[in-house]
Amino acid sequence: MIKIPSSILIIMLLCSFIKSDHERQHRTVKNSCFVRGEVIEYKAHYGFVHAAEGRMVISDEIYNVNNRPCFKIDVYGKSIGMFDLFLRIRDNWGTYLDTGAIVTQKFYRVIEEGKYRKNEIVEFDHSAQEAKVKTFDNKKQKWRPIETFDVPANVQDLVSGYYYIRTLQFDKLKEGDIIEVDAFFDDEVYDFKIRFVGRENVKTKLGLIKSIVLSPIMPENSLFDGENSVKVWISDDRNKVPLKIKAEMFVGAVEIDITKYEKGLD
């Protein structure tokens, strides 16, 4: 017969094994690129016309989601000027980004684009590799039943993936190398491929900045002009700040340029 103290010891050992197995579900990614309180502001323009403004904000606080410490990151976008008269846009995309694993723990978006509305919350269970999606029914004014989807390990949402890319070691990449990121969006998993183009100096409102150039590989569609139609410039320094995006579309080029950067809290 096992004595009570021995039984307690066995239970403690089992618990420690369970905890270790749970911890192995989460990778560790080194991040010295962004911190709490970071704020980046942008303006989007179509030709000489300013069309929209955007802000990317990391909260000053650290949040606990799924028993993991997380950055709360919000991306805000709104139309301005003449564009606001034709298509009113007021969007908020957000993520709770695991500070250690740099993966999404929770994603949300509140979309207002003309008459279109979307209110969605996605909660991720990385140990079960599942995403649980809850959307709001605007007609019935209530939340729809939760839908569950299978997702791969270390899956990102569209916001968290942007910040994960900033943590990559670009010094190890050669021109033409492909970066792959799995992301869950609109109830589907996408294998995003991003080509490392190289390095160049880019002119911004903050000055001439040495940058890393990336090009998301776009699938054939009726919006973008070819698979290399989008380019992204990020600063070639410790912070890897997104500086500029240029998209060649069939109706013309759209550019998004940085206007302000606040590093945040060290």
Side-chain angles (χ1 to χ4, degrees), residues 85-139:
L85 299 176
F86 295 104
L87 180 63
R88 187 177 189 273
I89 296 174
R90 299 292 186 273
D91 291 352
N92 176 200
W93 300 54
T95 189
Y96 288 88
L97 179 67
D98 191 303
T99 61
I102 312 296
V103 292
T104 177
Q105 293 290 348
K106 184 177 181 180
F107 171 75
Y108 54 90
R109 54 178 169 152
V110 181
I111 305 298
E112 179 185 330
E113 299 176 356
K115 295 182 179 180
Y116 177 75
R117 300 290 185 274
K118 180 86 172 184
N119 191 345
E120 176 188 68
I121 299 173
V122 184
E123 296 185 350
F124 293 88
D125 184 339
H126 290 280
S127 59
Q129 294 189 202
E130 291 179 342
K132 297 180 180 180
V133 180
K134 183 170 68 172
T135 55
F136 189 74
D137 190 321
N138 289 292
K139 291 183 178 179

Side-chain angles (χ1 to χ4, degrees), residues 181-193:
V181 180
D182 289 323
F184 181 78
F185 179 67
D186 268 346
D187 301 344
E188 290 188 42
V189 175
Y190 293 89
D191 178 17
F192 285 105
K193 292 181 172 62

Side-chain angles (χ1 to χ4, degrees), residues 37-258:
E38 182 189 79
V39 179
I40 313 175
E41 297 184 0
Y42 300 92
K43 273 193 177 178
H45 53 95
Y46 179 77
F48 295 103
V49 180
H50 291 298
E53 294 176 339
R55 297 177 74 238
M56 302 175 70
V57 182
I58 304 179
S59 172
D60 291 343
E61 299 180 31
I62 295 294
Y63 291 76
N64 188 294
V65 181
N66 296 334
N67 294 318
R68 300 282 296 180
C70 293
F71 295 112
K72 181 178 183 292
I73 305 174
D74 283 285
V75 179
Y76 302 98
K78 67 175 184 177
S79 53
I80 58 175
M82 292 295 293
F83 270 74
D84 198 44
L85 299 176
F86 295 104
L87 180 63
R88 187 177 189 273
I89 296 174
R90 299 292 186 273
D91 291 352
N92 176 200
W93 300 54
T95 189
Y96 288 88
L97 179 67
D98 191 303
T99 61
I102 312 296
V103 292
T104 177
Q105 293 290 348
K106 184 177 181 180
F107 171 75
Y108 54 90
R109 54 178 169 152
V110 181
I111 305 298
E112 179 185 330
E113 299 176 356
K115 295 182 179 180
Y116 177 75
R117 300 290 185 274
K118 180 86 172 184
N119 191 345
E120 176 188 68
I121 299 173
V122 184
E123 296 185 350
F124 293 88
D125 184 339
H126 290 280
S127 59
Q129 294 189 202
E130 291 179 342
K132 297 180 180 180
V133 180
K134 183 170 68 172
T135 55
F136 189 74
D137 190 321
N138 289 292
K139 291 183 178 179
K140 296 181 179 180
Q141 287 296 296
K142 66 177 184 179
W143 291 94
R144 298 188 180 99
I146 293 174
E147 295 182 88
T148 302
F149 300 87
D150 294 330
V151 295
N154 300 317
V155 70
Q156 304 286 356
D157 59 53
L158 293 191
V159 177
S160 69
Y162 204 55
Y163 284 81
Y164 166 69
I165 289 171
R166 292 174 64 181
T167 69
L168 299 180
Q169 300 299 313
F170 291 96
D171 290 340
K172 298 180 180 180
L173 297 179
K174 300 176 182 178
E175 290 185 13
D177 281 355
I178 302 298
I179 303 163
E180 296 189 33
V181 180
D182 289 323
F184 181 78
F185 179 67
D186 268 346
D187 301 344
E188 290 188 42
V189 175
Y190 293 89
D191 178 17
F192 285 105
K193 292 181 172 62
I194 304 163
R195 181 178 287 109
F196 174 65
V197 176
R199 289 175 168 82
E200 65 182 40
N201 293 329
V202 62
K203 186 178 180 180
T204 75
K205 187 176 180 180
L206 307 183
L208 190 66
I209 301 176
K210 185 178 179 181
S211 66
I212 295 163
V213 188
L214 305 173
S215 179
I217 299 174
M218 306 301 294
E220 186 175 345
N221 59 76
S222 59
L223 185 61
F224 295 100
D225 189 12
E227 73 168 24
N228 300 314
S229 56
V230 179
K231 282 189 176 181
V232 180
W233 288 260
I234 64 176
S235 62
D236 189 10
D237 57 16
R238 174 182 176 180
N239 301 116
K240 304 293 190 299
V241 179
L243 301 170
K244 181 185 182 71
I245 299 174
K246 184 175 182 180
E248 298 289 349
M249 308 172 74
F250 287 111
V251 294
V254 175
E255 295 188 24
I256 301 173
D257 294 292
I258 192 169

